Amino acid sequence: MASNRDHQADKHQTGVVPKMLLRTDALYQYILETSVYPREPEPMKELREITEKYPLGMMATTADEVQFLNFLLKLMNVKNAMEIGVLTGYSLLATALALPHDGKILAMDIDRESYEVGRPIIEKAGVAHKIDFREGPALPLLDQLLKHEKNHGSFDFIFVDADKNNYLNYHKRLIELVKVGGLIGYDNTLWNGSVVESPDLPMDDYVMSYRGFVLELNKALAVDPRIEICMIPVGDGITLCRRIK
Ligand SMILES: C[S@@+](CC[C@H](N)C(=O)[O-])C[C@H]1O[C@@H](n2cnc3c(N)ncnc32)[C@H](O)[C@@H]1O
């Protein structure tokens, strides 16, 4: 987290005052404790706590980000959604809770075992009937969907939170599946902060091995004329892409 002194230095270098609000970790905790946890639906809390203890749980989306997504989906009146990368179903539950009773979400993951960890809570929350979980790599599943004309332009919202090396391959397909006016959200587009070089913030090999793919995706989305984009610094960064043609 940058200090006030860093911000002053930035100002001198660029002449621009950075509009970075989260200057301390305590400020982030303040957001969680003031506006996220007190409003968190009971099943979301339960699944968050189970996921935090799960060995792969650090991959899950943050509580403030799923609150944001749930809010956004309700604003958009999303009825037909898709998620690529489910893990225990934490972001999936946030989406399912935002959909109307007859809403649907197609969820894909190569790992059914992790999904089974969260499934009892999803069932208890009364939203399991909205979820169509498909086990397997997402690319061939998307190609199957594309074979049927009725699926083209049929999704209101698509959340992508899986293998970063395939995001551009997903984008090629998802742009056909999302409706004009609908939204694709690509998660982790700030990729642990590694998208900018920072000698003070050493990155592990795992992060560095995917960094190039995230940079390539960010560049491609920025110039894609079929979408409008907005990169939101929540969680690990999410780029929202609204299909315009
Ligand atoms: C970051 S986790 C998803 C976290 C989840 N969205 C959440 O917020 O709780 C990434 C998931 O992507 C899945 N995944 C990786 N490669 C995939 C692929 N080719 N197709 C589908 N899912 C994949 C992994 O098994 C893992 O569960």
Side-chain angles (χ1 to χ4, degrees):
M1 192 61 60
S3 67
N4 285 346
R5 197 181 301 158
D6 293 335
H7 288 290
Q8 286 303 321
D10 285 355
K11 183 184 168 188
H12 289 302
Q13 275 162 26
T14 63
V16 177
V17 180
K19 297 210 170 31
M20 168 73 178
L21 290 175
L22 294 182
R23 294 180 178 197
T24 61
D25 290 344
L27 206 43
Y28 180 55
Q29 277 307 313
Y30 176 82
I31 293 174
L32 293 177
E33 281 157 27
T34 309
S35 96
V36 179
Y37 295 154
R39 308 300 299 253
E40 196 177 32
E42 191 49 40
M44 288 301 300
K45 179 176 190 290
E46 205 181 331
L47 188 48
R48 175 170 59 77
E49 288 174 352
I50 286 173
T51 304
E52 277 165 5
K53 290 186 200 117
Y54 188 62
L56 300 172
M58 69 294 181
M59 291 204 292
T61 310
T62 59
D64 53 326
E65 181 172 349
V66 295
Q67 184 192 49
F68 168 69
L69 292 176
N70 176 281
F71 190 87
L72 181 69
L73 266 57
K74 286 175 186 158
L75 278 179
M76 291 173 61
N77 290 317
V78 168
K79 248 188 123 168
N80 196 25
M82 186 198 296
E83 177 169 298
I84 302 178
V86 171
L87 194 68
T88 61
Y90 182 57
S91 53
L92 180 64
L93 177 59
T95 301
L97 287 169
L99 302 180
H101 190 71
D102 60 346
K104 293 274 168 251
I105 174 158
L106 178 61
M108 307 169 189
D109 203 302
I110 44 175
D111 170 20
R112 179 180 282 276
E113 212 180 299
S114 295
Y115 176 53
E116 292 301 333
V117 171
R119 204 157 69 112
I121 295 153
I122 292 174
E123 275 166 13
K124 205 162 64 172
V127 292
H129 67 279
K130 301 179 192 173
I131 297 169
D132 176 4
F133 178 85
R134 309 265 180 98
E135 183 183 358
L139 271 184
L141 289 168
L142 295 178
D143 285 336
Q144 273 304 113
L145 287 179
L146 282 165
K147 283 188 185 151
H148 304 281
E149 195 59 41
K150 70 174 172 46
N151 295 321
H152 289 232
S154 68
F155 289 88
D156 306 307
F157 177 76
I158 302 174
F159 181 54
V160 185
D161 186 16
D163 42 342
K164 315 303 159 204
N165 50 321
N166 265 320
Y167 274 26
L168 271 179
N169 292 325
Y170 292 144
H171 188 62
K172 272 184 209 137
R173 291 152 175 89
L174 296 179
I175 199 70
E176 302 295 330
L177 293 168
V178 73
K179 71 176 188 192
V180 173
L183 214 58
I184 309 171
Y186 289 103
D187 203 26
N188 307 100
T189 51
L190 295 178
W191 198 229
N192 280 250
S194 69
V195 288
V196 288
E197 309 238 352
S198 170
D200 306 335
L201 204 64
M203 296 292 159
D204 66 27
D205 291 348
Y206 172 76
V207 170
M208 292 313 281
S209 65
Y210 287 99
R211 177 176 182 261
F213 294 105
V214 177
L215 289 174
E216 203 188 338
L217 172 82
N218 290 341
K219 262 194 210 157
L221 295 181
V223 297
D224 187 336
R226 299 166 298 179
I227 52 173
E228 290 174 339
I229 64 165
C230 194
M231 188 186 255
I232 318 258
V234 65
D236 192 25
I238 177 167
T239 301
L240 298 177
C241 309
R242 191 173 87 92
R243 182 176 172 193
I244 52 174
K245 56 177 150 179

